[in-house]
Amino acid sequence: MKLKYGVMDTEIFGTIYILVNEKELIDISLSEDDWKKALKKYEVEYCQENTLIKEVCNQLTEYFKAERKEFSFPILFSGTPFQQQVWNELLNIPYGETRCYADIANAIDNPKAVRAVGQANRKNPIPIVVPCHRVIGKDKSLTGYSGTRTDLKEKLLELEGITI
């Protein structure tokens, strides 16, 4: 079964790619390179008029206008059980708040897994919606976003009223 995808133009990221199955959001690619990686994993077809894609775009637009603090569409994680545990914990970080990697490791009852939490964060397939941007260094410093894009992380945090 082919998955559906659509595109959305944003001020912060430029064009992003949204990938869904029949019921759930599966992936948001923030760059052309990320999208090329997703295309290696999935068989896709363009369908901008898909109901779920339109809803994801609408809610992201509201988020970027600072009119939305939570997303209300279903998501589906594709990752290891540990990664999924980390990503589910990220969903518990409220809009406008941050946590450090150690906080996440402690919250999932694995306090020694700080580095592994960082790696899971980096592999988050649904950024923005699953707010990996809200995880910062213990010293309150910005750390990589989507690899090394701390500038993007900073913009998302500023959107949420957080100054680092």
Side-chain angles (χ1 to χ4, degrees):
M1 176 183 80
K2 287 186 177 181
L3 300 176
K4 310 287 189 222
Y5 82 93
V7 296
M8 178 180 176
D9 290 320
T10 70
E11 286 186 32
I12 296 176
F13 297 99
T15 301
I16 63 174
Y17 301 83
I18 298 162
L19 185 65
V20 301
N21 64 18
E22 294 300 318
K23 299 178 199 169
E24 299 134 327
L25 174 65
I26 293 176
D27 185 276
I28 295 177
S29 294
L30 301 179
S31 70
E32 190 75 31
D33 287 342
D34 289 346
W35 181 237
K36 287 177 184 174
K37 290 176 190 171
L39 289 175
K40 291 179 181 177
K41 294 193 301 191
Y42 303 108
E43 187 176 341
V44 305
E45 67 180 331
Y46 180 74
C47 189
Q48 192 71 36
E49 295 305 310
N50 174 280
T51 304
L52 180 54
I53 290 171
K54 287 168 65 173
E55 183 60 27
V56 171
C57 288
N58 288 338
Q59 289 190 32
L60 285 171
T61 297
E62 292 171 355
Y63 171 80
F64 288 128
K65 290 179 179 178
E67 297 171 354
R68 174 173 288 276
K69 296 182 179 184
E70 295 180 7
F71 298 98
S72 61
F73 43 77
I75 59 176
L76 177 66
F77 290 131
S78 177
T80 68
F82 177 80
Q83 289 170 332
Q84 292 181 41
Q85 187 179 23
V86 170
W87 300 331
N88 276 303
E89 186 57 36
L90 298 180
L91 292 169
N92 293 325
I93 306 172
Y95 179 96
E97 294 185 22
T98 60
R99 302 289 184 270
C100 71
Y101 295 94
D103 293 335
I104 303 301
N106 288 329
I108 62 170
D109 294 322
N110 199 340
K112 293 185 179 184
V114 175
R115 288 182 186 266
V117 165
Q119 289 304 310
N121 230 30
R122 184 175 184 193
K123 294 185 186 256
N124 173 13
I126 311 174
I128 306 168
V129 173
V130 179
C132 53
H133 62 278
R134 295 180 189 151
V135 183
I136 60 175
K138 193 171 191 174
D139 63 357
K140 305 288 185 204
S141 65
L142 291 178
T143 54
Y145 182 70
S146 200
T148 58
R149 302 293 313 269
T150 56
D151 58 323
L152 301 176
K153 186 174 199 167
E154 186 173 18
K155 286 178 184 177
L156 289 173
L157 292 174
E158 285 175 1
L159 175 77
E160 295 185 17
I162 300 168
T163 304
I164 301 294

